[in-house]
Amino acid sequence: MKSKKKLVIANWKMNPSSLEEAKNIFNFTKKTASLLKNTEVLLLPPSIYLQPLSKIDRPKNLFLGAQNSSAEEKGAFTGEISISMLKDLGIKFVLVGHSERRAMGEDNKTVNKKLQAVFEAGLIPVLCIGESVRDREGTHLEFLKEQIKNSITGLQKKYMVGMTIAYEPIWAIGKPYKEAMNPTDIHETVLFIKKSVGEFFGKDIASLIRVLYGAAVESQNAKEVIEYGNVEGFLVGHASLKKEEFPLILKAIDSVR
Ligand code: PGA
């Protein structure tokens, strides 16, 4: 991926219910992606759809990735999918530490282990972070800093160059756009995230990381968030499944230079 371009990640979560529907969503996304000039799109379907979707032609700015992978190489881990299995299918991108995985028990230590494993296998992770509540005292900032620190600790500096972090305030995930975080708060939080990365890895690395925003991004707020939110793209959940909605988000982001 070219980091100059903006990035929209479509997180389908555990949707849709059939391969046929997955192909439909893939196809309308593909159609719009081929019209974009400044934006790359990374689709994260359920892993069972990765192989059939990878067989369909797609434009150069449309990529496929996994929503999760195991940190373990192989063995007795029922239901898990390994990084080598993804690699074997030609998949290069893996989401790590989404809040819905964390809610199922994934802690920062596991997230850290996954990041190490993904990098070492030569794949590209997208690290998700985000607080579940905000308060006036700013304890959510301390929470975020701890999350960042414990997720990236021990990673080699070379891996941190150009690393993508998706900031997703959990309290806004799955909500309608009116309940998304406002662009000013997003802007400030992104500065805070970069500052925190800078404390652990230095300012040079901090200036190179790419921060995306996710949670309640819809066509109505996409343009405003990209213009004023200080982010280089989005992680879109529910709206990425909608035929009318997702192309509008992609076009909105692409229209902002
Ligand atoms: P949402 O989900 O766009 O439905 O809020 C975002 C996410 O959880 O990745």
Side-chain angles (χ1 to χ4, degrees), residues 11 13 98 100 168 172-175 215-217 235-238:
N11 178 13
K13 308 190 179 185
H98 189 276
E100 286 151 19
E168 300 204 290
I173 289 181
K175 302 270 171 64
V217 174
L235 203 166
V236 185
H238 64 273

Side-chain angles (χ1 to χ4, degrees), residues 77-124:
F77 302 100
T78 302
E80 292 289 291
I81 286 168
S82 76
I83 296 166
S84 348
M85 292 170 194
L86 294 170
K87 202 172 171 179
D88 186 52
L89 286 189
I91 300 300
K92 293 198 176 67
F93 303 92
V94 186
L95 197 66
V96 177
H98 189 276
S99 59
E100 286 151 19
R101 301 288 327 165
R102 292 179 188 261
M104 288 176 224
E106 195 166 303
D107 58 10
N108 284 327
K109 210 169 154 206
T110 312
V111 169
N112 181 252
K113 199 171 167 190
K114 286 189 183 187
L115 285 176
Q116 302 264 13
V118 171
F119 276 127
E120 273 158 28
L123 273 67
I124 302 168

Side-chain angles (χ1 to χ4, degrees), residues 177 217-224 239 244-246 248-249 252:
Y177 78 95
V217 174
E218 294 184 345
S219 59
Q220 292 92 334
N221 62 341
K223 197 156 183 230
E224 194 192 16
E244 311 302 326
E245 184 77 5
F246 195 48
L248 291 178
I249 295 176

Side-chain angles (χ1 to χ4, degrees), residues 169-222:
I170 298 171
W171 47 269
I173 289 181
K175 302 270 171 64
Y177 78 95
K178 284 189 176 147
E179 292 174 53
M181 199 177 203
N182 70 61
T184 314
D185 287 346
I186 296 173
H187 194 112
E188 278 174 11
T189 312
V190 173
L191 291 178
F192 181 81
I193 291 167
K194 292 195 173 170
K195 190 168 155 266
S196 303
V197 171
E199 279 178 34
F200 309 126
F201 278 94
K203 275 194 186 150
D204 50 337
I205 295 287
S207 67
L208 294 171
I209 62 162
R210 165 156 75 170
V211 184
L212 313 178
Y213 170 78
V217 174
E218 294 184 345
S219 59
Q220 292 92 334
N221 62 341

